[in-house]
Amino acid sequence: MTKKLGGDIKVIGLGPGSLDDLSPRARRALENCDVVVGYSTYIKLIENLIEGKKIISTGMMHEAERCRAALDCALDDHTVAVVSSGDAGIYGMAGLMLEMILELPIDRRPTVEVIAGISAVQASAAILGAPLTHDFAVISLSDLLTDWSVIERRIECAAAGDFVIAFYNPKSHKRVTQIERAREIILKFRAEDTPVGIVRNVSRDNQSKTISTLENFTREPIDMFTLVIVGSSKTFVKDGFMITPRLKQ
């Protein structure tokens, strides 16, 4: 916690989509705030919970603008909820919001609290079974904020280390080759029949799951609403469940 000035900021993880996955703590914070700030798609997920509150929403790629608006409202003595899907600290708004607040002198900072949420990788893993019960890495395939050469190196290191690998942002209309390249890199270290789980629209309408193999998974429908989990050398599939054993085999 930082020193309280007037208002305060709650950076909230909404969970993957369904209100059933919104934590009681996050729900209370939304109920008690005056202003809600977030990406317009995420605002729609909670619109029934925030009726009557001031809403500040923007499209993609306006994260700094949203954080600045939230900070201005907090400095004007409002209680502000800054929302992200999943967990706000995993490809969410928590880091940028904290950076912006910490640029202020200590006596000018509003109180800030980060409220955890269920991430898409956790929710997807539960749908698939138990693929993350041993060490794993989470990598975004979007190169908007990270050079692709850096992403390739991270994939190679995770594959060489035999981590289960979860991919966020695996494919978009304009970005179609990265998931194929990720597959090629991992195949240097793992067998073609390594299990791969694909979950689309996790915790939302039209949720679907597919369990495929490293050889074939890119033939499945994959987009920005999809999370892909590539198993380790120990991961197996039985009766529709994808499992990475915790104990030595």
Side-chain angles (χ1 to χ4, degrees):
M1 291 286 186
T2 54
K3 183 178 178 181
K4 184 171 177 60
L5 176 66
D8 49 14
I9 294 176
K10 310 287 187 181
V11 190
I12 300 173
L14 299 177
S18 170
L19 292 181
D20 290 339
D21 293 324
L22 181 68
S23 74
R25 186 177 175 191
R27 187 182 291 266
R28 286 194 300 271
L30 288 171
E31 291 172 349
N32 294 329
C33 72
D34 306 311
V35 181
V36 181
V37 180
Y39 173 40
S40 53
T41 298
Y42 303 152
I43 292 291
K44 291 179 182 177
L45 297 175
I46 56 171
E47 56 187 359
N48 292 337
L49 298 180
I50 56 175
E51 293 180 359
K53 301 181 186 294
K54 180 178 179 180
I55 308 298
I56 300 174
S57 65
T58 66
M60 292 184 66
M61 304 303 293
H62 292 280
E63 290 85 355
E65 178 185 327
R66 293 198 294 273
C67 286
R68 174 55 62 187
L71 184 54
D72 288 345
C73 288
L75 293 174
D76 198 28
D77 289 343
H78 291 284
T79 299
V80 185
V82 179
V83 299
S84 294
S85 68
D87 180 271
I90 301 177
Y91 302 118
M93 298 288 285
L96 182 57
M97 191 72 256
L98 286 170
E99 287 181 47
M100 197 170 288
I101 291 169
L102 295 175
E103 288 178 354
L104 295 174
I106 292 178
D107 62 353
R108 288 279 296 158
R109 297 174 189 170
T111 298
V112 59
E113 179 182 11
V114 179
I115 297 176
I118 297 173
S119 70
V121 67
Q122 292 172 290
S124 296
I127 291 165
L128 291 166
L132 303 183
T133 48
H134 214 300
D135 298 336
F136 64 93
V138 178
I139 300 173
S140 170
L141 293 188
S142 172
D143 56 1
L144 290 176
L145 301 177
T146 306
D147 289 339
W148 178 247
S149 60
V150 174
I151 296 172
E152 280 201 351
R153 178 61 177 157
R154 290 172 178 171
I155 296 169
E156 185 166 6
C157 289
D162 201 24
F163 287 89
V164 175
I165 306 173
F167 289 118
Y168 277 71
N169 307 314
K171 190 175 182 180
S172 68
H173 291 300
K174 296 181 179 180
R175 186 171 40 78
V176 299
T177 61
Q178 283 85 343
I179 190 66
E180 293 287 356
R181 179 59 183 146
R183 172 183 169 275
E184 292 171 2
I185 293 170
I186 300 170
L187 275 170
K188 294 191 296 183
F189 301 93
R190 295 188 199 169
E192 293 180 344
D193 62 352
T194 299
V196 177
I198 302 166
V199 181
R200 188 173 185 277
N201 288 325
V202 57
S203 189
R204 305 183 189 184
D205 293 340
N206 302 315
Q207 174 185 291
S208 65
K209 81 166 187 177
T210 302
I211 298 179
S212 183
T213 64
L214 187 56
E215 180 182 16
N216 297 318
F217 82 94
T218 55
R219 300 176 187 176
E220 302 294 336
I222 295 174
D223 58 19
M224 288 290 284
F225 297 100
T226 305
L227 195 135
V228 176
I229 298 180
V230 180
S232 72
S233 63
K234 304 297 185 182
T235 304
F236 65 92
V237 176
K238 185 173 182 180
D239 295 337
F241 291 104
M242 183 174 170
I243 303 166
T244 302
R246 177 64 177 158
L247 302 178
K248 289 183 179 181
Q249 291 184 313

